[in-house]
């Protein structure tokens, strides 16, 4: 995949919903750090980083009022929302992405270890490994961010929640790897909200 296509897709996401784009940037940065702790080679690292950068691109096709809705979604809205991983994978393939790891991240990052995720309800090791990694990074960043009706968790609180959700939502072994990353190695996020508060006051 040429960098121009990657930038084009990300630009479309940025124009659609800025906060989702910024979230994807943070998850992509975490992916590079996580890859080093998993001892990935260069090709594996690139696949993980690009997949995490693009994991939410299917939201380009979801109405903005559903993505940004502050109150509970209706059944119909939730069914619409659950389509975005498949829509994103289809877009990536249309744009010339043929790396299976990248496609699987986009399509399966909302699956859960216990089978309660979407879009297919995959369980355990039936969920592709790279998607399992992305789901941890995705959730971790989400927990740190303030929402309309909640304050974001601290880094330590978010780490504790990841551990609590091991073998429920996440792969326990991969969570252990993520939790082994020293906090100072995550300072690359200092320009984004919660991270600035935690590291620089």
């Amino acid at each position: 995949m040429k960098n121009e296509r990657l930038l084009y897709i990300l630009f479309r996401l940025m124009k659609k919903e800025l906060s989702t784009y910024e979230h994807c940037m943070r998850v992509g940065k975490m992916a590079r750090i996580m890859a080093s702790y998993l001892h990935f080679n260069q090709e594996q690292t690139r696949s993980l980083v690009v997949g995490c950068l693009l994991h939410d691109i299917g939201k380009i096709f979801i109405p903005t009022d559903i993505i940004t809705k502050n109150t509970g979604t209706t059944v119909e809205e939730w069914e619409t929302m659950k389509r975005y991983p498949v829509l994103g994978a289809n877009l990536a393939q249309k744009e010339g992405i043929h790396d299976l790891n990248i496609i699987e991240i986009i399509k399966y990052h909302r699956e859960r270890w216990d089978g309660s995720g979407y879009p297919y309800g995959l369980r355990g090791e039936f969920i592709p490994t790279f998607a399992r990694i992305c789901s941890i990074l995705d959730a971790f960043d989400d927990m740190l961010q303030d929402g309309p009706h909640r304050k974001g968790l601290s880094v330590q609180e978010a780490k504790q929640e990841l551990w609590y959700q091991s073998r429920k939502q996440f792969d326990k072994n991969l969570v252990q790897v993520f939790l082994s990353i020293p906090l100072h190695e995550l300072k690359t996020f200092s320009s984004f909200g919660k991270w600035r508060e935690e590291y620089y006051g």
Side-chain angles (χ1 to χ4, degrees), residues 23-141:
H23 162 71
C24 288
M25 295 299 100
R26 293 190 297 268
V27 174
K29 288 183 178 182
M30 278 192 283
R32 184 170 297 280
I33 298 171
M34 183 70 165
S36 69
Y37 277 80
L38 290 167
H39 307 292
F40 278 3
N41 62 32
Q42 185 175 359
E43 182 179 352
Q44 291 170 318
T45 297
R46 184 181 185 281
S47 294
L48 181 64
V49 171
V50 172
C52 287
L53 285 171
L54 299 179
H55 74 280
D56 273 348
I57 59 170
K59 290 182 179 179
I60 290 172
F61 304 104
I62 305 300
T64 303
D65 60 337
I66 295 179
I67 298 174
T68 60
K69 192 169 184 180
N70 295 335
T71 57
T73 56
T74 66
V75 173
E76 293 77 12
E77 288 170 338
W78 180 235
E79 289 302 314
T80 297
M81 189 66 175
K82 288 195 296 184
R83 296 172 55 220
Y84 88 81
V86 174
L87 294 173
N90 291 343
L91 172 62
Q93 291 174 311
K94 181 180 177 181
E95 292 295 336
I97 299 177
H98 304 296
D99 184 322
L100 183 60
N101 286 322
I102 295 175
I103 299 300
E104 288 181 340
I105 288 172
I106 299 169
K107 185 179 285 189
Y108 302 120
H109 71 278
R110 296 300 297 185
E111 302 287 359
R112 294 188 170 198
W113 186 262
D114 63 4
S116 65
Y118 63 87
Y120 300 111
L122 300 184
R123 179 188 297 269
E125 294 185 358
F126 287 103
I127 305 168
T129 301
F130 280 47
R132 280 182 262 153
I133 297 168
C134 183
S135 71
I136 294 168
L137 309 181
D138 181 29
F140 183 74
D141 183 70

Side-chain angles (χ1 to χ4, degrees), residues 154-195:
S154 69
V155 171
Q156 192 57 41
E157 289 170 335
K159 283 189 165 188
Q160 290 172 347
E161 184 64 17
L162 285 180
W163 181 248
Y164 176 74
Q165 293 297 334
S166 294
R167 295 293 182 182
K168 298 177 184 177
Q169 185 171 346
F170 309 114
D171 181 329
K172 183 177 181 179
N173 293 330
L174 291 173
V175 168
Q176 288 177 320
V177 174
F178 181 75
L179 296 181
S180 74
I181 300 174
L183 290 181
H184 72 269
E185 291 202 33
L186 300 175
K187 65 183 179 181
T188 140
F189 301 95
S190 61
S191 62
F192 293 99
K194 176 72 68 175
W195 294 94

